[in-house]
């Protein structure tokens, strides 16, 4: 992994190691994948406006979010099915995050329990992500298990009333867990190391949701509650005493309404382009949301982040921190825990270098004066 010079190199290593259906689960988006592509392309349109003749001998990256200091403005976001990428799964991600000094968010669709994540990274800042399911008692059980595991930040994802059409998964016939059917036999031959790990490790299953169809879309549509409204946040708040973030904000008026009901943070996100195709591009929407919300809630960005320079751009445009998903999953596929660690090292090194070249000498100096979207 040391030879990987950036996340694009890590992605290529992941593509070589993982079976095509596994790589495509991470790499793909919904329908024509326009939302996913636009989120990445928005960062390509970033133009930095560097200051010169500034003292940049030091370039601090630490920031404060939700009342706690972290090593850099990065949060490892929630991802489902994580042990499919590598047998170490969520445990490896949590340990890498702990060493890097950044939060890790366990998904409702995770393949490791909250207790096991906490045991793997007892000194880490571990968060929990909630999808509201039809059975409210089960949702309460999830929150209780997360709280017992020491998770004190809740991220409620609101952009999945029903499953998006992820056509790569449909074409591969991806099941939960993956099965050696005719579509995947050839992939097994070409990627024997991955399949050996998969077949000799703990059986792959969701740690929180059980039963129902084997396809991911079927599980989502069976379990998740499409009737959830903003009023349900009051119920969630009554059951959760720690900071509450809402992930999946794609409109300014929704951001204002959420800030008005007192959530602690908003995550501007289109679910990595995996839900509604042609949805808003997070980086483009970010400044409008930041301006509309003011200091009533902390605003985070999710979507398209592939480098520390991307993190710098988002922070300069008003984000408190960036959620990262695909980037660390590429690392997990490519090299397990070591791969996730390498991605975090790359993000931090790129962030430091970018702030120095911008003449701001650290994250604290990032503002809209040093960046624009062409």
């Amino acid at each position: 992994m040391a030879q990987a010079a950036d996340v694009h190199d890590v992605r290529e290593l992941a593509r070589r190691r993982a079976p095509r259906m596994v790589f495509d689960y991470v790499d793909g988006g919904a329908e024509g994948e326009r939302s996913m592509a636009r989120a990445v392309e928005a960062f390509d349109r970033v133009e930095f406006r560097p200051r010169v003749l500034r003292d940049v001998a030091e370039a601090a990256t630490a920031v404060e979010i939700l009342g706690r200091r972290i090593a850099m403005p990065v949060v490892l976001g929630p991802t489902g099915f994580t042990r499919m990428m590598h047998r170490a799964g969520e445990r490896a991600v949590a340990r890498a995050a702990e060493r890097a000094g950044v939060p890790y968010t366990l998904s409702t669709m995770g393949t490791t329990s909250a207790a096991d994540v906490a045991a793997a990274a007892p000194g880490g800042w571990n968060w929990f992500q909630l999808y509201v399911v039809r059975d409210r008692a089960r949702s309460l059980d999830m929150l209780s298990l997360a709280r017992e595991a020491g998770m004190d930040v809740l991220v409620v994802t609101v952009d999945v009333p029903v499953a998006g059409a992820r056509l790569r998964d449909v074409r591969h016939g991806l099941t939960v867990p993956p099965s050696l059917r005719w579509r995947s036999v050839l992939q097994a031959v070409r990627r024997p190391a991955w399949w050996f790990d998969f077949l000799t490790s703990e059986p792959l299953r969701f740690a929180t949701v059980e039963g129902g169809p084997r396809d991911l879309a079927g599980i989502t549509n069976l379990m998740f509650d499409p009737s959830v409204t903003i009023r349900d946040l009051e119920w969630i708040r009554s059951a959760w005493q720690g900071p509450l973030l809402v992930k999946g904000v794609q409109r300014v008026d929704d951001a204002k309404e959420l800030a008005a009901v007192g959530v602690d943070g908003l995550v501007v996100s289109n679910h990595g382009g995996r839900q509604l195709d042609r949805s808003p591009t997070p980086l483009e929407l970010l400044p409008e949301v930041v301006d509309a919300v003011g200091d009533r809630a902390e605003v985070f960005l999710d979507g398209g982040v592939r480098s520390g320079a991307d993190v710098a751009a988002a922070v300069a445009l008003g984000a408190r921190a960036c959620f990262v998903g695909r980037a660390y999953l590429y690392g997990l596929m490519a090299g397990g825990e070591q791969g996730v660690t390498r991605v975090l090292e790359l993000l931090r090194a790129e962030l430091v270098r970018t702030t120095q070249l911008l003449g701001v000498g650290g994250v604290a100096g990032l503002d809209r004066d040093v960046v624009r979207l062409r």
Side-chain angles (χ1 to χ4, degrees):
M1 288 302 302
Q3 73 272 25
D6 61 14
V7 170
H8 298 290
D9 286 351
V10 177
R11 177 181 178 274
E12 179 60 21
L13 290 170
R15 188 184 64 79
R16 294 176 187 171
R17 181 185 183 275
R20 180 64 182 271
M21 66 179 179
V22 175
F23 178 80
D24 277 353
Y25 171 76
V26 173
D27 198 59
E31 301 184 31
E33 302 189 346
R34 298 170 187 86
S35 294
M36 179 179 69
R38 289 172 185 172
V40 176
E41 289 164 1
F43 283 102
D44 290 339
R45 293 192 293 108
V46 166
E47 180 177 273
F48 288 123
R49 302 173 63 241
R51 302 181 179 111
V52 296
L53 298 175
R54 302 295 198 274
D55 182 357
V56 293
E58 300 293 333
T61 61
V63 296
E64 184 175 300
I65 62 171
L66 304 174
R68 183 163 167 176
R69 203 149 184 84
I70 60 175
M72 60 178 167
V74 168
V75 176
L76 298 192
T79 61
F81 224 169
T82 310
R83 281 200 299 114
M84 183 173 70
M85 315 334 157
H86 189 279
R87 66 190 300 164
E90 289 89 353
R91 295 178 182 89
V93 180
R95 285 192 292 262
E98 179 183 28
R99 284 194 302 274
V102 300
Y104 167 62
T105 314
L106 176 66
S107 171
T108 293
M109 306 297 282
T111 46
T112 303
S113 70
D116 286 344
V117 166
W125 194 10
N126 299 314
W127 299 2
F128 184 70
Q129 176 267 340
L130 178 71
Y131 290 114
V132 179
V133 298
R134 297 173 189 268
D135 183 348
R136 291 295 197 269
R138 180 171 288 192
S139 291
L140 289 174
D141 288 343
M142 294 180 201
L143 297 182
S144 177
L145 291 171
R147 191 164 43 245
E148 289 172 7
M151 296 175 176
D152 60 349
V153 175
L154 181 65
V155 180
V156 181
T157 298
V158 296
D159 55 6
V160 190
V162 296
R166 301 172 194 173
L167 300 185
R168 294 200 212 182
D169 296 347
V170 173
R171 290 168 183 140
H172 287 303
L174 183 66
T175 61
V176 184
S179 55
L180 276 171
R181 299 185 301 174
W182 68 268
R183 286 186 179 95
S184 52
V185 168
L186 185 58
Q187 296 182 29
V189 172
R190 292 175 174 172
R191 302 291 188 271
W194 184 94
W195 280 104
F196 177 80
D197 278 352
F198 173 71
L199 294 172
T200 58
S201 65
E202 175 186 356
L204 183 64
R205 64 179 182 83
F206 293 116
T208 302
V209 296
E210 297 177 353
R214 295 189 71 203
D215 66 290
L216 189 58
I219 291 174
T220 299
N221 291 330
L222 177 70
M223 297 288 296
F224 293 7
D225 188 348
S227 71
V228 173
T229 71
I230 197 166
R231 289 188 296 274
D232 290 285
L233 289 178
E234 298 175 4
W235 166 77
I236 294 170
R237 173 63 85 184
S238 69
W240 184 268
Q241 304 307 311
L244 174 64
L245 276 61
V246 174
K247 180 175 178 286
V249 175
Q250 299 171 74
R251 293 175 57 100
V252 172
D253 54 354
D254 282 347
K256 289 179 178 178
E257 188 174 10
L258 287 164
V261 301
V263 301
D264 299 286
L266 307 173
V267 186
V268 179
S269 171
N270 63 14
H271 212 95
R274 295 165 70 80
Q275 280 297 108
L276 175 67
D277 207 9
R278 300 182 177 90
S279 57
T281 301
L283 188 67
E284 295 175 348
L285 182 61
L286 173 65
E288 296 180 67
V289 171
V290 170
D291 291 343
V293 169
D295 60 1
R296 291 178 293 167
E298 298 186 18
V299 179
F300 300 81
L301 177 96
D302 169 65
V305 176
R306 301 290 188 272
S307 71
D310 293 345
V311 174
V315 172
L317 290 171
R320 297 297 291 265
C322 292
F323 278 57
V324 173
R326 283 188 179 88
Y328 81 73
L329 289 181
Y330 293 142
L332 186 64
M333 279 190 287
E337 186 174 334
Q338 181 185 6
V340 180
T341 295
R342 180 57 180 160
V343 167
L344 288 166
E345 290 171 348
L346 288 167
L347 292 178
R348 187 180 186 282
E350 291 161 349
L351 178 60
V352 168
R353 182 171 62 249
T354 300
T355 62
Q356 288 176 311
L357 292 173
L358 274 171
V360 298
V363 171
L366 292 168
D367 58 29
R368 294 187 194 178
D369 185 58
V370 299
V371 66
R372 69 171 183 170
L373 293 181
R374 292 179 60 90

